[in-house]
């Protein structure tokens, strides 16, 4: 067992190590996710540890260190809780006031007007500004702001305990250990709150970006994204020499199912059709809904002769519509497809060609549900056709 006399040293080392670990994590995670608030948090921890590690540097240097740590902590709070929107004006006020207060403290220290060590008194103006700002930011930053607020309360306790340690010689070592524990609490609680905030903001950013790339009803790509990816796939096929296949799919019986089931709209049927099509896709394939009952799929780098098998799987998934959330109904697909060898074809021209094939299939009752068109090869002429109206 550790001797009793060595326990405070061991505990102090563990607490300082915790602060150092959080400092390092803040730098690494901040760099990885471009979160500057974690960099500011690490800088504030480094300033506080520097002040604790050099207690004999004199009142002036200590005051500068403490002031720097408080300034960094204030900047961290602004980065974490935000300084835009409703918080723009409070953030501007706290910046100006913090600069003014810290400037007066530093000037007074340099002129020799502040000769005694009073970290608690130094932190009081900062505590007032922090409390005011956190109250303003409280409602719009839950739930992670609880951790940040707790961390800043621990930081204030750190300065009050330092104040007591400097005025109470008998209990100085115990109070300094307690102040280090408060600093470790600030480091850990602040880090947890900021990482939580970063995750929530990242998820929100991904949701916003997904709205531009994903159809909110079907979960498939939007037409703009589909055409961009499809043209890219055709360009890569020319460069790398592989085959792509473009499918145009029409759902024959959407309106019939809506009428039979007395639905208010066709959204549930369209969603089931999208799920049936998506269930056959590979990771490199892209599908999109191009109209009321039409879907398109680009299968990149597909083996020769397997396109019809993929179309058959789509048909089979449609007939098992119950597995896609459409109980008691079947989805009937008509599919026109064409394999494209490395060529100069564009997505819009090929889709227009497939659209003509689907129109021809719709005009012939009893026709096959799958119609493969002749392969498109390099140099093969495609008649000039308007883009598919979507």
């Amino acid at each position: 067992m550790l001797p009793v006399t060595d326990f405070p040293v061991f505990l102090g080392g563990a607490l300082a190590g915790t602060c150092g670990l959080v400092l390092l994590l803040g730098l690494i995670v901040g760099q990885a996710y471009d979160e500057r608030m974690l960099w500011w948090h690490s800088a504030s921890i480094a300033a506080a540890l520097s002040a604790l590690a050099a207690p004999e540097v004199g009142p002036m240097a200590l005051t500068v260190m403490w002031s720097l740590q408080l300034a960094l902590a204030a900047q961290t709070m602004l980065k974490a809780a935000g300084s835009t929107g409703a918080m723009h004006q409070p953030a501007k006020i706290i910046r100006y006031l913090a600069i003014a207060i810290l400037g007066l403290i530093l000037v007074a220290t340099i002129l020799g007007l502040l000769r005694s060590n009073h970290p608690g008194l130094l932190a009081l103006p900062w505590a007032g500004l922090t409390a005011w700002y956190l109250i303003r930011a409280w409602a719009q930053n839950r739930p992670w702001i609880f951790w940040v607020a707790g961390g800043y309360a621990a930081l204030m306790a750190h300065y009050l305990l330092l104040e007591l340690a400097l005025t109470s010689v008998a209990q100085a070592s115990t109070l300094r250990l307690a102040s280090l524990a408060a600093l470790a609490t600030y480091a850990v609680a602040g880090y947890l709150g900021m990482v939580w905030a970063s995750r929530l903001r990242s998820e929100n950013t991904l949701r916003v970006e997904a709205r531009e790339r994903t159809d909110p009803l079907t979960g498939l790509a939007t037409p703009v994204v589909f055409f961009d990816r499809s043209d890219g796939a055709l360009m890569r096929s020319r460069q790398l020499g592989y085959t792509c296949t473009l499918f145009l799919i029409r759902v024959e019986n959407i309106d019939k199912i809506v009428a039979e089931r007395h639905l208010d709209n066709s959204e549930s049927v369209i969603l089931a059709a999208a799920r049936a099509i998506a269930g056959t896709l590979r990771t490199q394939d892209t599908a999109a809904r191009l109209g009321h009952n039409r879907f398109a799929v680009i299968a990149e780098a597909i083996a020769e002769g397997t396109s019809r098998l993929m179309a058959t799987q789509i048909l089979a998934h449609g007939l098992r519509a119950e597995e896609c959330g459409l109980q008691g109904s079947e989805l009937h697909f008509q599919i026109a497809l064409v394999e494209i060898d490395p060529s100069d074809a564009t997505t819009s021209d090929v889709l227009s060609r497939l659209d003509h094939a689907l129109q021809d299939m719709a005009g012939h009752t009893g026709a096959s549900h799958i119609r493969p068109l002749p392969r498109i090869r390099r140099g093969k002429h495609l008649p000039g056709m308007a883009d598919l109206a979507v």
Side-chain angles (χ1 to χ4, degrees):
M1 292 181 62
L2 195 69
V4 176
T5 55
D6 293 339
F7 181 74
V9 176
F10 171 79
L11 183 57
L15 293 172
T18 300
C19 293
L21 179 61
V22 173
L23 188 159
L24 184 62
L25 284 174
L27 292 175
I28 294 173
V29 176
Q31 174 65 30
Y33 295 99
D34 194 24
E35 285 292 355
R36 295 186 178 183
M37 61 183 174
L38 291 174
W39 296 348
W40 288 108
H41 187 56
S42 294
S44 70
I45 297 171
L49 288 176
S50 299
L52 289 176
E56 305 299 332
V57 295
M60 181 181 294
L62 278 178
T63 301
V64 171
M65 289 182 181
W66 290 330
S67 300
L68 176 62
Q69 199 273 334
L70 292 174
L72 291 171
Q75 180 66 14
T76 303
M77 180 184 62
L78 293 178
K79 289 291 184 181
S83 58
T84 59
M87 299 307 299
H88 175 70
Q89 195 64 29
K92 184 184 293 186
I93 293 173
I94 198 172
R95 278 198 180 99
Y96 289 150
L97 289 177
I99 291 172
I101 292 171
L102 293 174
L104 289 174
I105 291 172
L106 292 176
V107 170
T109 303
I110 293 171
L111 295 177
L113 301 178
L114 188 63
R115 295 183 177 277
S116 59
N117 294 333
H118 290 290
L121 296 177
L122 180 67
L124 282 178
W126 171 87
L129 291 175
T130 300
W132 174 75
Y133 184 80
L134 287 176
I135 290 172
R136 297 292 299 267
W138 189 267
Q140 62 183 19
N141 288 301
R142 293 183 182 182
W144 56 265
I145 201 169
F146 293 109
W147 287 97
V148 174
Y152 278 93
L155 184 60
M156 185 61 195
H158 163 72
Y159 277 92
L160 293 177
L161 289 167
L162 275 182
E163 176 80 19
L164 294 175
L166 293 171
T167 56
S168 177
V169 179
Q171 300 293 327
S173 59
T174 302
L175 290 170
R176 284 187 176 276
L177 188 62
S179 71
L180 185 56
L183 181 63
T185 302
Y186 159 72
V188 173
Y191 176 80
L192 290 176
M194 291 172 202
V195 169
W196 193 351
S198 175
R199 181 180 65 82
L200 292 178
R201 291 172 185 172
S202 297
E203 290 177 353
N204 185 59
T205 300
L206 290 175
R207 283 193 295 268
V208 172
E209 292 177 350
R211 292 174 187 172
E212 300 177 357
R213 301 192 305 265
T214 306
D215 182 351
L217 173 59
T218 64
L220 304 177
T222 61
V224 173
V225 171
F226 175 80
F227 276 85
D228 181 63
R229 292 180 181 174
S230 182
D231 285 336
L234 295 178
M235 181 183 67
R236 286 189 293 274
S237 75
R238 292 193 292 271
Q239 296 172 342
L240 302 176
Y242 56 65
T243 299
C244 295
T245 300
L246 200 57
F247 301 80
L248 187 60
I249 305 165
R250 185 169 71 89
V251 188
E252 294 183 87
N253 59 337
I254 285 183
D255 295 333
K256 181 179 178 182
I257 294 175
V258 170
E260 289 176 349
R261 297 167 68 95
H262 305 290
L263 301 176
D264 295 332
N265 54 60
S266 60
E267 289 185 355
S268 60
V269 187
I270 293 170
L271 177 58
R275 289 173 175 172
I277 294 169
T280 66
L281 302 184
R282 304 165 301 166
T283 54
Q284 67 265 40
D285 301 335
T286 303
R289 179 186 173 213
L290 300 184
H292 170 63
N293 64 343
R294 300 203 174 198
F295 296 82
V297 175
I298 179 69
E300 186 173 355
I302 192 167
E304 184 176 350
T306 60
S307 302
R308 190 178 182 94
L309 175 60
M310 186 173 176
T312 303
Q313 291 175 341
I314 293 175
L315 286 179
H317 278 219
L319 295 176
R320 299 195 304 270
E322 290 187 358
E323 298 177 4
C324 303
L326 195 63
Q327 300 295 326
S329 298
E330 295 180 349
L331 291 167
H332 298 159
F333 293 132
Q334 284 184 330
I335 304 173
L337 63 97
V338 60
E339 293 184 351
I340 309 170
D341 287 339
S343 69
D344 298 324
T346 64
T347 302
S348 56
D349 282 341
V350 177
L351 281 177
S352 184
R353 187 178 180 186
L354 293 172
D355 183 48
H356 283 291
L358 278 183
Q359 292 176 14
D360 185 64
M361 293 169 68
H364 294 79
T365 58
S368 172
H369 288 271
I370 301 175
R371 177 173 294 185
L373 275 62
R375 297 172 69 92
I376 299 176
R377 305 181 187 277
R378 182 176 291 277
K380 184 177 180 65
H381 175 67
L382 285 178
M385 299 175 182
D387 290 356
L388 179 65
V390 297

Coordinates of all heavy atoms in Angstrom, one line a residue, residues 314-382:
I314 N -35.4 -7.0 -59.0 CA -36.2 -5.8 -58.7 C -37.7 -6.2 -58.9 O -38.6 -5.8 -58.0 CB -35.9 -4.6 -59.6 CG1 -34.5 -4.1 -59.3 CG2 -36.9 -3.5 -59.5 CD1 -34.0 -3.0 -60.2
L315 N -38.0 -6.9 -59.9 CA -39.4 -7.4 -60.2 C -39.8 -8.3 -59.0 O -41.0 -8.1 -58.5 CB -39.5 -8.2 -61.5 CG -39.4 -7.4 -62.8 CD1 -39.5 -8.4 -63.9 CD2 -40.6 -6.4 -62.9
A316 N -39.0 -9.2 -58.6 CA -39.3 -10.1 -57.5 C -39.6 -9.3 -56.2 O -40.5 -9.6 -55.4 CB -38.2 -11.1 -57.3
H317 N -38.7 -8.3 -55.9 CA -38.9 -7.5 -54.7 C -40.3 -6.8 -54.7 O -40.9 -6.6 -53.7 CB -37.8 -6.5 -54.5 CG -36.6 -7.1 -53.9 ND1 -35.8 -6.5 -53.0 CD2 -36.0 -8.3 -54.1 CE1 -34.8 -7.2 -52.6 NE2 -34.9 -8.4 -53.3
G318 N -40.7 -6.3 -55.9 CA -41.9 -5.6 -56.0 C -43.1 -6.5 -55.8 O -44.1 -6.1 -55.1
L319 N -43.0 -7.8 -56.2 CA -44.1 -8.7 -55.9 C -44.2 -9.1 -54.5 O -45.2 -9.6 -54.0 CB -43.9 -10.0 -56.8 CG -44.0 -9.8 -58.3 CD1 -43.6 -11.1 -59.0 CD2 -45.3 -9.3 -58.7
R320 N -43.1 -8.9 -53.7 CA -43.1 -9.2 -52.3 C -43.1 -7.8 -51.6 O -42.4 -7.5 -50.7 CB -41.8 -9.9 -51.9 CG -41.7 -11.3 -52.5 CD -40.6 -12.1 -51.8 NE -39.3 -11.4 -51.8 CZ -38.4 -11.6 -52.7 NH1 -38.6 -12.3 -53.7 NH2 -37.2 -10.9 -52.6
A321 N -44.1 -7.0 -52.0 CA -44.2 -5.7 -51.4 C -44.5 -5.7 -49.9 O -44.3 -4.7 -49.2 CB -45.3 -4.9 -52.2
E322 N -45.0 -6.8 -49.4 CA -45.3 -6.8 -47.9 C -44.0 -6.6 -47.2 O -44.0 -6.1 -46.1 CB -46.0 -8.2 -47.6 CG -47.4 -8.3 -48.1 CD -48.1 -9.5 -47.6 OE1 -47.4 -10.3 -46.9 OE2 -49.3 -9.7 -47.9
E323 N -42.9 -7.1 -47.7 CA -41.6 -7.0 -47.0 C -41.2 -5.5 -47.0 O -40.3 -5.2 -46.3 CB -40.6 -7.9 -47.7 CG -40.9 -9.4 -47.6 CD -39.9 -10.2 -48.3 OE1 -38.9 -9.6 -48.8 OE2 -40.1 -11.4 -48.4
C324 N -41.7 -4.7 -47.9 CA -41.4 -3.3 -48.0 C -42.4 -2.4 -47.3 O -42.3 -1.2 -47.5 CB -41.2 -2.9 -49.5 SG -40.0 -3.9 -50.4
G325 N -43.3 -3.0 -46.5 CA -44.2 -2.2 -45.8 C -45.6 -1.9 -46.5 O -46.4 -1.1 -46.0
L326 N -45.8 -2.6 -47.6 CA -47.1 -2.5 -48.3 C -47.9 -3.8 -48.1 O -47.8 -4.7 -49.0 CB -46.9 -2.1 -49.7 CG -48.1 -1.6 -50.5 CD1 -48.5 -0.2 -49.9 CD2 -47.7 -1.4 -52.0
Q327 N -48.6 -3.9 -47.1 CA -49.3 -5.1 -46.8 C -50.5 -5.4 -47.7 O -51.3 -4.5 -48.0 CB -49.9 -5.1 -45.3 CG -48.8 -4.9 -44.2 CD -47.9 -6.1 -44.2 OE1 -48.3 -7.2 -44.4 NE2 -46.6 -5.8 -43.9
G328 N -50.6 -6.6 -48.2 CA -51.7 -7.1 -49.0 C -51.7 -6.6 -50.4 O -52.7 -6.7 -51.1
S329 N -50.6 -6.1 -51.0 CA -50.5 -5.6 -52.3 C -49.2 -6.1 -53.0 O -48.3 -6.5 -52.3 CB -50.6 -4.1 -52.4 OG -51.8 -3.6 -51.8
E330 N -49.2 -6.0 -54.3 CA -48.0 -6.3 -55.1 C -47.7 -5.1 -56.0 O -48.6 -4.4 -56.4 CB -48.2 -7.5 -56.0 CG -48.4 -8.8 -55.2 CD -48.6 -10.0 -56.2 OE1 -48.8 -9.7 -57.4 OE2 -48.6 -11.2 -55.7
L331 N -46.4 -4.9 -56.1 CA -46.0 -3.8 -57.0 C -45.5 -4.4 -58.4 O -44.7 -5.3 -58.4 CB -44.8 -3.0 -56.4 CG -45.1 -2.2 -55.2 CD1 -43.9 -1.8 -54.4 CD2 -46.0 -1.0 -55.5
H332 N -46.1 -3.9 -59.4 CA -45.8 -4.4 -60.8 C -44.8 -3.4 -61.4 O -45.2 -2.2 -61.7 CB -47.0 -4.6 -61.6 CG -47.9 -5.6 -61.0 ND1 -49.3 -5.7 -61.3 CD2 -47.7 -6.6 -60.1 CE1 -49.8 -6.7 -60.6 NE2 -48.9 -7.2 -59.9
F333 N -43.6 -3.8 -61.7 CA -42.6 -2.9 -62.4 C -42.5 -3.3 -63.9 O -42.7 -4.4 -64.3 CB -41.3 -3.1 -61.7 CG -41.2 -2.7 -60.3 CD1 -40.6 -3.5 -59.3 CD2 -41.6 -1.4 -59.9 CE1 -40.5 -3.1 -58.0 CE2 -41.5 -1.0 -58.6 CZ -40.9 -1.8 -57.7
Q334 N -42.3 -2.3 -64.7 CA -41.8 -2.4 -66.0 C -40.4 -1.8 -66.1 O -40.2 -0.7 -65.6 CB -42.7 -1.7 -67.0 CG -44.0 -2.5 -67.3 CD -44.8 -1.8 -68.4 OE1 -44.8 -0.6 -68.6 NE2 -45.6 -2.6 -69.1
I335 N -39.4 -2.5 -66.6 CA -38.0 -2.1 -66.6 C -37.4 -2.1 -68.0 O -37.5 -3.2 -68.7 CB -37.2 -3.0 -65.7 CG1 -37.8 -3.1 -64.3 CG2 -35.8 -2.6 -65.6 CD1 -37.2 -4.1 -63.3
A336 N -36.9 -1.0 -68.4 CA -36.1 -0.9 -69.6 C -34.6 -0.7 -69.2 O -34.4 0.1 -68.3 CB -36.6 0.2 -70.5
L337 N -33.7 -1.4 -69.8 CA -32.3 -1.3 -69.3 C -31.4 -1.4 -70.5 O -31.8 -1.9 -71.6 CB -32.0 -2.5 -68.4 CG -32.0 -3.9 -68.9 CD1 -30.7 -4.4 -69.3 CD2 -32.6 -4.8 -67.8
V338 N -30.2 -0.9 -70.4 CA -29.2 -0.9 -71.4 C -27.9 -1.0 -70.8 O -27.6 -0.2 -69.8 CB -29.4 0.3 -72.4 CG1 -29.2 1.6 -71.6 CG2 -28.4 0.2 -73.5
E339 N -27.0 -1.9 -71.3 CA -25.6 -1.9 -70.9 C -24.8 -1.0 -71.7 O -25.0 -0.9 -73.0 CB -25.1 -3.4 -71.0 CG -25.8 -4.3 -70.0 CD -25.2 -5.7 -70.1 OE1 -24.4 -6.0 -71.0 OE2 -25.6 -6.6 -69.2
I340 N -24.0 -0.2 -71.1 CA -23.2 0.8 -71.8 C -21.7 0.5 -71.6 O -21.1 0.5 -70.5 CB -23.5 2.2 -71.1 CG1 -25.0 2.5 -71.1 CG2 -22.8 3.3 -71.9 CD1 -25.4 3.7 -70.3
D341 N -21.1 0.1 -72.7 CA -19.7 -0.1 -72.8 C -19.0 1.3 -72.8 O -19.7 2.3 -72.9 CB -19.3 -0.8 -74.0 CG -19.6 -2.3 -73.9 OD1 -19.8 -2.8 -72.8 OD2 -19.8 -3.0 -75.0
P342 N -17.7 1.4 -72.6 CA -17.1 2.7 -72.6 C -17.5 3.5 -73.9 O -17.2 3.0 -75.0 CB -15.6 2.4 -72.6 CG -15.5 1.1 -71.9 CD -16.7 0.3 -72.2
S343 N -18.2 4.6 -73.8 CA -18.7 5.3 -74.9 C -18.8 6.8 -74.6 O -18.5 7.2 -73.4 CB -20.1 4.7 -75.4 OG -21.0 5.0 -74.4
D344 N -19.3 7.5 -75.5 CA -19.5 9.0 -75.3 C -21.0 9.3 -74.9 O -21.4 10.4 -75.0 CB -19.1 9.7 -76.5 CG -17.6 9.6 -76.9 OD1 -16.8 9.5 -75.9 OD2 -17.3 9.5 -78.1
A345 N -21.8 8.3 -74.6 CA -23.2 8.5 -74.2 C -23.3 9.3 -73.0 O -22.4 9.3 -72.1 CB -23.9 7.2 -74.0
T346 N -24.4 10.1 -72.9 CA -24.7 10.9 -71.7 C -25.9 10.3 -71.0 O -26.7 9.6 -71.6 CB -24.9 12.3 -72.0 OG1 -26.1 12.4 -72.8 CG2 -23.8 13.0 -72.7
T347 N -26.0 10.6 -69.7 CA -27.2 10.0 -69.0 C -28.5 10.4 -69.5 O -29.4 9.6 -69.7 CB -27.0 10.4 -67.5 OG1 -25.8 10.0 -67.0 CG2 -28.2 9.8 -66.7
S348 N -28.6 11.7 -69.9 CA -29.9 12.2 -70.3 C -30.3 11.5 -71.7 O -31.5 11.2 -71.9 CB -29.9 13.7 -70.5 OG -28.9 14.1 -71.3
D349 N -29.4 11.4 -72.6 CA -29.7 10.7 -73.8 C -30.1 9.3 -73.7 O -31.1 8.8 -74.3 CB -28.5 10.8 -74.8 CG -28.4 12.2 -75.4 OD1 -29.4 12.9 -75.4 OD2 -27.3 12.5 -75.9
V350 N -29.4 8.6 -72.8 CA -29.7 7.1 -72.6 C -31.1 7.0 -71.9 O -31.9 6.1 -72.3 CB -28.6 6.5 -71.7 CG1 -29.0 5.0 -71.4 CG2 -27.3 6.5 -72.5
L351 N -31.3 7.9 -70.9 CA -32.7 7.8 -70.2 C -33.8 8.1 -71.2 O -34.9 7.5 -71.1 CB -32.7 8.8 -69.1 CG -32.0 8.3 -67.8 CD1 -32.0 9.4 -66.7 CD2 -32.6 7.0 -67.2
S352 N -33.6 9.1 -72.1 CA -34.6 9.4 -73.1 C -34.8 8.2 -74.0 O -36.0 7.8 -74.3 CB -34.1 10.6 -73.9 OG -35.1 10.9 -74.8
R353 N -33.8 7.5 -74.4 CA -34.0 6.2 -75.1 C -34.7 5.2 -74.4 O -35.6 4.5 -74.9 CB -32.6 5.7 -75.5 CG -32.6 4.6 -76.5 CD -31.1 4.2 -76.8 NE -31.1 3.1 -77.7 CZ -29.9 2.5 -78.1 NH1 -28.8 2.9 -77.6 NH2 -30.0 1.4 -78.9
L354 N -34.4 5.0 -73.1 CA -35.1 4.1 -72.2 C -36.6 4.5 -72.1 O -37.5 3.6 -72.0 CB -34.4 3.9 -70.9 CG -33.0 3.3 -70.9 CD1 -32.4 3.5 -69.5 CD2 -33.1 1.9 -71.3
D355 N -36.8 5.8 -72.0 CA -38.2 6.3 -71.8 C -39.1 5.9 -73.0 O -40.2 5.5 -72.9 CB -38.2 7.8 -71.7 CG -39.6 8.4 -71.4 OD1 -40.3 7.8 -70.6 OD2 -39.9 9.3 -72.1
H356 N -38.5 6.0 -74.2 CA -39.3 5.6 -75.4 C -39.6 4.1 -75.4 O -40.6 3.6 -75.8 CB -38.4 5.9 -76.7 CG -38.5 7.3 -77.1 ND1 -39.6 8.0 -77.5 CD2 -37.5 8.3 -77.0 CE1 -39.4 9.2 -77.8 NE2 -38.1 9.5 -77.4
A357 N -38.6 3.3 -74.9 CA -38.9 1.8 -74.7 C -40.0 1.5 -73.7 O -40.8 0.7 -74.0 CB -37.6 1.1 -74.3
L358 N -40.0 2.3 -72.6 CA -41.1 2.1 -71.6 C -42.4 2.5 -72.2 O -43.4 1.8 -71.9 CB -40.8 2.9 -70.3 CG -39.8 2.3 -69.3 CD1 -39.8 3.2 -68.1 CD2 -40.3 0.9 -68.9
Q359 N -42.5 3.5 -72.9 CA -43.8 3.9 -73.6 C -44.3 2.9 -74.5 O -45.5 2.6 -74.6 CB -43.6 5.3 -74.3 CG -43.3 6.5 -73.4 CD -43.1 7.7 -74.2 OE1 -43.3 7.8 -75.4 NE2 -42.6 8.8 -73.5
D360 N -43.3 2.3 -75.3 CA -43.7 1.2 -76.2 C -44.2 0.0 -75.4 O -45.2 -0.7 -75.8 CB -42.5 0.8 -77.0 CG -42.9 -0.2 -78.1 OD1 -43.7 0.1 -79.0 OD2 -42.3 -1.3 -78.0
M361 N -43.6 -0.3 -74.3 CA -44.0 -1.5 -73.4 C -45.4 -1.2 -72.9 O -46.2 -2.1 -72.8 CB -43.0 -1.7 -72.3 CG -41.6 -2.2 -72.7 SD -40.4 -2.1 -71.4 CE -41.0 -3.4 -70.3
A362 N -45.7 0.0 -72.5 CA -47.0 0.3 -71.9 C -48.1 0.2 -72.9 O -49.2 -0.1 -72.6 CB -47.0 1.8 -71.3
G363 N -47.8 0.4 -74.2 CA -48.8 0.3 -75.2 C -49.0 -1.1 -75.7 O -49.9 -1.4 -76.6
H364 N -48.3 -2.1 -75.2 CA -48.5 -3.5 -75.6 C -48.9 -4.3 -74.3 O -48.0 -4.6 -73.5 CB -47.3 -4.1 -76.3 CG -46.9 -3.4 -77.6 ND1 -46.3 -2.2 -77.7 CD2 -47.2 -3.9 -78.8 CE1 -46.2 -1.9 -78.9 NE2 -46.7 -2.9 -79.7
T365 N -50.1 -4.7 -74.2 CA -50.5 -5.5 -73.0 C -50.0 -6.9 -73.2 O -49.9 -7.4 -74.3 CB -52.1 -5.6 -73.0 OG1 -52.6 -6.1 -74.2 CG2 -52.7 -4.2 -72.7
G366 N -49.6 -7.4 -72.1 CA -49.0 -8.8 -72.1 C -47.5 -8.8 -72.4 O -47.0 -9.9 -72.6
A367 N -46.9 -7.7 -72.7 CA -45.5 -7.7 -73.0 C -44.6 -8.0 -71.8 O -45.1 -7.9 -70.7 CB -45.1 -6.3 -73.6
S368 N -43.4 -8.4 -72.1 CA -42.5 -8.8 -71.0 C -42.3 -7.5 -70.1 O -42.3 -6.4 -70.6 CB -41.2 -9.3 -71.6 OG -40.2 -9.4 -70.5
H369 N -42.0 -7.8 -68.8 CA -41.8 -6.7 -67.9 C -40.4 -6.2 -67.9 O -40.1 -5.2 -67.3 CB -42.2 -7.1 -66.5 CG -43.6 -7.3 -66.2 ND1 -44.4 -6.2 -65.8 CD2 -44.4 -8.3 -66.4 CE1 -45.7 -6.7 -65.7 NE2 -45.7 -7.9 -66.0
I370 N -39.5 -6.8 -68.7 CA -38.1 -6.4 -68.8 C -37.8 -6.3 -70.2 O -38.0 -7.2 -71.0 CB -37.2 -7.4 -68.1 CG1 -37.5 -7.6 -66.6 CG2 -35.7 -7.0 -68.2 CD1 -36.7 -8.6 -65.9
R371 N -37.2 -5.2 -70.7 CA -36.8 -5.0 -72.0 C -35.3 -4.5 -72.1 O -35.1 -3.3 -71.8 CB -37.7 -4.0 -72.8 CG -37.2 -3.8 -74.2 CD -38.1 -2.9 -75.0 NE -39.4 -3.6 -75.3 CZ -40.4 -3.2 -76.0 NH1 -40.2 -2.0 -76.6 NH2 -41.5 -3.8 -76.2
P372 N -34.4 -5.4 -72.4 CA -33.0 -5.0 -72.6 C -32.9 -4.3 -74.0 O -33.4 -4.9 -75.0 CB -32.2 -6.3 -72.5 CG -33.2 -7.3 -72.0 CD -34.5 -6.9 -72.5
L373 N -32.2 -3.2 -74.0 CA -31.9 -2.5 -75.3 C -30.5 -2.9 -75.8 O -29.7 -3.4 -75.0 CB -32.0 -1.0 -75.1 CG -33.4 -0.4 -75.3 CD1 -34.4 -0.9 -74.2 CD2 -33.3 1.1 -75.2
P374 N -30.2 -2.8 -77.0 CA -28.9 -3.1 -77.5 C -27.8 -2.3 -76.8 O -28.0 -1.2 -76.4 CB -29.0 -2.7 -79.0 CG -30.4 -2.8 -79.4 CD -31.1 -2.4 -78.1
R375 N -26.7 -3.0 -76.6 CA -25.6 -2.4 -75.9 C -25.1 -1.1 -76.6 O -25.2 -1.0 -77.8 CB -24.4 -3.3 -75.8 CG -24.7 -4.6 -75.0 CD -23.5 -5.5 -75.1 NE -22.4 -5.1 -74.4 CZ -22.1 -5.3 -73.1 NH1 -22.9 -6.1 -72.4 NH2 -21.0 -4.9 -72.5
I376 N -24.7 -0.1 -75.8 CA -24.2 1.1 -76.4 C -22.7 1.0 -76.3 O -22.1 0.8 -75.2 CB -24.7 2.3 -75.6 CG1 -26.2 2.4 -75.7 CG2 -24.0 3.6 -76.1 CD1 -26.8 3.5 -74.8
R377 N -22.0 1.1 -77.5 CA -20.6 1.0 -77.5 C -20.0 2.3 -78.0 O -20.7 3.2 -78.5 CB -20.2 -0.1 -78.5 CG -20.8 -1.5 -78.1 CD -20.4 -2.6 -79.0 NE -21.1 -3.8 -78.8 CZ -20.8 -4.7 -77.8 NH1 -19.7 -4.4 -77.1 NH2 -21.5 -5.8 -77.7
R378 N -18.7 2.4 -77.9 CA -18.0 3.6 -78.3 C -18.2 3.9 -79.7 O -18.1 3.0 -80.6 CB -16.5 3.5 -78.0 CG -15.7 4.8 -78.4 CD -14.2 4.6 -78.0 NE -14.1 4.6 -76.6 CZ -14.0 5.7 -75.8 NH1 -14.1 6.9 -76.4 NH2 -13.8 5.6 -74.5
G379 N -18.6 5.1 -80.0 CA -18.8 5.5 -81.4 C -20.2 5.2 -81.9 O -20.6 5.7 -83.0
K380 N -21.0 4.5 -81.1 CA -22.4 4.2 -81.5 C -23.2 5.5 -81.5 O -23.2 6.2 -80.5 CB -23.0 3.1 -80.7 CG -24.4 2.7 -81.1 CD -24.9 1.6 -80.3 CE -26.3 1.1 -80.7 NZ -26.3 0.5 -82.0
H381 N -24.0 5.7 -82.5 CA -24.7 7.0 -82.6 C -26.0 6.9 -81.8 O -26.8 5.9 -82.0 CB -25.1 7.3 -84.1 CG -26.0 8.5 -84.3 ND1 -25.5 9.7 -84.0 CD2 -27.2 8.5 -84.7 CE1 -26.5 10.6 -84.3 NE2 -27.6 9.9 -84.7
L382 N -26.2 7.9 -81.0 CA -27.5 8.0 -80.3 C -28.3 9.1 -80.9 O -27.7 10.2 -81.0 CB -27.3 8.3 -78.8 CG -26.9 7.1 -77.9 CD1 -26.6 7.6 -76.5 CD2 -27.9 6.0 -78.0

